[in-house]
Amino acid sequence: MRKAFAVLIALYATASLAQQQDLSKVDIKTVKVAGTVYMLMGSGGNIGVSVGDDGIVIIDDEFAPLAPKIIQALNGITDKPIKFIINTHYHGDHTGGNEVFGRTGTIIAHDNVRKRLQTGTSALGRTTPPAPKQALPIVTFNDTATVHVNGEDIRAMHFPHGHTDGDAVIYFPQSNVVHMGDDFFNGHFPFIDTENGGSVKGMIAAGDKILASMPDDVKVIPGHGDLSDKAGLRRFVEMLRGTSGAVERAMKAGRTLEQMKSDKILAQWDEWGKDWFANSQAFTEMLYRDLGGK
């Protein structure tokens, strides 16, 4: 199982996925969300796009080899240039394109995103080297930041210790759209990067706050999965609360990790792991380690 987690880290904390699959076969799908906002789906995290007279703002940028296809998809929406890139967190499937788009646009991210990209990261024995200079955020923030373009007051809000310690949720108030980054995997178990500040409880807290503060009809862009809404986000948060609660209760009862797996304590959530990188057994271990198990 530790080998499986090492593979998982390779997919999400590094650009290894780009090396392992033939990205020449990836198509970029364009989805109109609402107002000025679109969503691009390719390989890696979903890209949010704001378009207008001021130019383009993209939220995350997948992998560097996909940059030409991303540019082609953007050209199908507008002929304006990319002005800003906002990273929701540091993982390579969301920031790999920084080295391309950062040459002409301004990259914005939380302080911890720049720190982790600049110094490199390590998790489960795998080391990710520092990112090139042009891939680093130029503008960073601690709590919130607002970019005023295209008739939007695009708000980046830091949510600590969710997917990572540098998570930003991006809200487009005029278009009534929110991009959750990897604090929301629509229909799937998430990856929780505990070695770089992530935690299931922080992820639940982020989801709860967005559910409480956003309009009922807000469109929700997940880090992975199809376009969603508050009902989809609520279902995800309820899954996190249920699965982490089940593991926590088993730990308090003295059950070992192997006993939990043998008991299949997360069986009722099996659908969340179908055709995905982590099944309910792998997610049991992820939660167990997150909640203090050894």
Side-chain angles (χ1 to χ4, degrees), residues 108-172:
I108 303 170
H110 185 263
D111 295 333
N112 288 340
V113 174
R114 179 180 170 89
K115 173 184 173 182
R116 297 197 181 283
L117 289 175
Q118 187 173 37
T119 62
T121 55
S122 179
L124 293 177
R126 294 190 66 96
T127 299
T128 303
K133 181 179 179 180
Q134 65 266 25
L136 299 178
I138 298 301
V139 178
T140 63
F141 60 93
N142 186 344
D143 186 22
T144 63
T146 305
V147 181
H148 304 276
V149 293
N150 299 332
E152 285 279 1
D153 303 314
I154 303 172
R155 302 173 189 168
M157 304 170 284
H158 176 49
F159 284 84
H161 307 298
H163 180 59
T164 70
D165 63 2
D167 298 352
V169 170
I170 316 300
Y171 181 41
F172 303 84

Side-chain angles (χ1 to χ4, degrees), residues 17-19 21-27 43 63-66 69:
L17 179 58
Q19 299 167 356
Q21 69 175 151
D22 184 358
L23 295 180
S24 67
K25 298 179 180 179
V26 173
D27 293 323
S43 177
F63 297 108
L66 289 174
K69 292 188 176 186

Side-chain angles (χ1 to χ4, degrees), residues 250-261:
M251 291 174 69
K252 288 179 179 179
R255 305 294 287 172
T256 66
L257 175 59
E258 291 309 316
Q259 287 172 330
M260 294 181 204
K261 290 180 179 180

Side-chain angles (χ1 to χ4, degrees), residues 190-206:
F191 169 46
I192 304 168
D193 191 351
T194 57
E195 292 185 65
N196 291 286
S199 72
V200 67
K201 292 187 177 181
M203 192 175 282
I204 291 170

Side-chain angles (χ1 to χ4, degrees), residues 11 29 38 54 65 79 132 135 234 246 268:
L11 297 183
K29 177 182 178 183
Y38 293 76
D54 299 321
D79 60 359
R234 185 175 294 108
Q268 71 183 88

